[in-house]
């Protein structure tokens, strides 16, 4: 079992493909964000999906119709999962869940940096559960908040960024209730990314 979601926050096509090929067997999924898609187009999602589960981290935050249009593009390109904001309200979240089909929807309920979202986290968790999302994004570097979200969210999957470059500890995040940890710079900025992933998996007791 792998519990690392690799945040592929690079611009370059060749670098992205070569990291995806190299790391795919040792990570649970690859998270694709705007920097890569802006440089290469949405078809990069389909290409990477040949090697790994791909989670489109588009942090969708618009009205229902626009959310639907964005979600459909991710689905068309074989994404395994999609990340949406939830602060935009129930109608917007419903649109993502309904357009997602088999794709897993992750709803962001707290960030790895302090934000105004912190004032609404409990409401966002409750609404996300009522709307049947698959999982939540919660901060892996703000352990008390992560533990609190875990205590509220039943068996929803929690994916947690903020590890390494943003100060969070990988085992602390798992112990506080994260199912998966999202890690970018600590892996792709390492001179030996595969070795780095394997050593993190060893810390987690994963093979
Ligand atoms: O390990 P890093 O800091 O290099 O990368 C962290 C990744 O997680 C990067 O892709 C961020 O956009 C993302 N992220 C956060 O860092 N903080 C958040 O609160 C939320 C996310 C995220 O993945 O949201 C889905």
């Amino acid at each position: 079992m792998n519990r690392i979601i690799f945040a592929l926050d690079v611009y370059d096509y060749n670098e992205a493909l070569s990291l995806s090929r190299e790391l795919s067997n040792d990570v649970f999924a690859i998270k694709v964000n705007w920097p890569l898609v802006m440089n290469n187009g949405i078809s990069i999602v389909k290409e990477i999906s040949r090697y790994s589960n791909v989670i489109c981290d588009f942090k969708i935050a618009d009205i229902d119709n626009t959310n639907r249009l964005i979600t459909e593009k991710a689905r068309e390109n074989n994404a395994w999962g999609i990340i949406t904001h939830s602060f935009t309200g129930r109608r917007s979240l419903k649109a993502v869940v309904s357009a997602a089909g088999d794709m897993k929807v992750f709803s962001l309920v707290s960030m790895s940096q302090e934000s105004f979202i912190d004032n609404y986290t409990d409401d966002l968790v409750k609404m996300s559960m009522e709307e049947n999302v698959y999982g939540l994004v919660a901060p892996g570097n703000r352990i008390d908040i992560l533990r609190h979200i875990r205590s509220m969210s039943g068996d929803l999957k929690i994916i947690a960024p903020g590890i390494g470059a943003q100060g969070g500890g990988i085992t602390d995040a798992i112990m506080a209730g994260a199912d998966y940890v999202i890690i970018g710079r600590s892996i792709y900025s390492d001179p030996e990314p595969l070795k780095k992933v394997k050593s993190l998996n060893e810390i987690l007791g994963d093979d």
Side-chain angles (χ1 to χ4, degrees):
M1 177 194 170
N2 292 319
R3 283 181 281 188
I4 293 175
I5 296 173
F6 175 44
L8 184 56
D9 294 329
V10 301
Y11 287 123
D12 183 71
Y13 176 87
N14 290 323
E15 185 181 3
L17 267 286
S18 112
L19 279 166
S20 300
R21 270 192 296 264
E22 188 184 6
L23 304 183
S24 60
N25 286 335
D26 295 274
V27 298
F28 172 72
I30 294 179
K31 185 177 80 69
V32 168
N33 203 331
W34 290 116
L36 186 62
V37 170
M38 290 171 97
N39 229 30
N40 299 284
I42 186 73
S43 60
I44 190 88
V45 169
K46 194 176 254 175
E47 292 203 47
I48 295 172
S49 76
R50 287 166 38 214
Y51 307 107
S52 166
N53 289 336
V54 177
I55 302 177
C56 285
D57 179 8
F58 294 159
K59 292 196 184 65
I60 311 173
D62 217 308
I63 61 161
D64 52 0
N65 187 57
T66 312
N67 281 7
R68 175 181 65 81
L69 293 169
I70 295 168
T71 304
E72 283 175 1
K73 275 288 144 190
R75 192 175 168 189
E76 248 173 66
N77 283 279
N78 293 348
W80 175 86
I82 183 133
I83 293 172
T84 181
H85 269 297
S86 54
F87 71 81
T88 44
R90 193 178 294 272
R91 189 163 160 177
S92 293
L93 182 59
K94 267 186 192 300
V96 175
V97 171
S98 137
D102 291 342
M103 270 191 318
K104 315 293 187 204
V105 176
F106 294 88
S107 162
L108 191 154
V109 295
S110 177
M111 300 204 71
S112 57
Q113 297 178 356
E114 207 173 294
S115 82
F116 291 111
I117 293 174
D118 291 329
N119 299 325
Y120 301 98
T121 294
D122 286 11
D123 290 336
L124 298 177
V125 172
K126 280 185 210 138
M127 182 186 66
S128 300
M129 292 179 80
E130 285 161 12
E131 296 306 326
N132 296 315
V133 302
Y134 178 79
L136 302 174
V137 181
N141 58 342
R142 302 202 293 161
I143 289 301
D144 290 344
I145 295 175
L146 174 56
R147 207 175 282 121
H148 172 68
I149 293 169
R150 175 77 282 165
S151 75
M152 290 185 69
S153 59
D155 57 6
L156 285 196
K157 299 290 181 206
I158 294 184
I159 61 177
I163 311 302
Q166 296 180 60
I170 189 165
T171 39
D172 293 344
I174 296 288
M175 300 276 284
D179 295 285
Y180 299 94
V181 282
I182 297 171
I183 306 179
R185 284 167 285 181
S186 302
I187 297 172
Y188 65 75
S189 300
D190 193 280
E192 295 187 78
L194 182 58
K195 210 165 149 192
K196 178 72 184 187
V197 168
K198 284 184 184 291
S199 77
L200 292 171
N201 280 335
E202 232 166 76
I203 293 170
L204 293 176
D206 298 343
D207 41 33

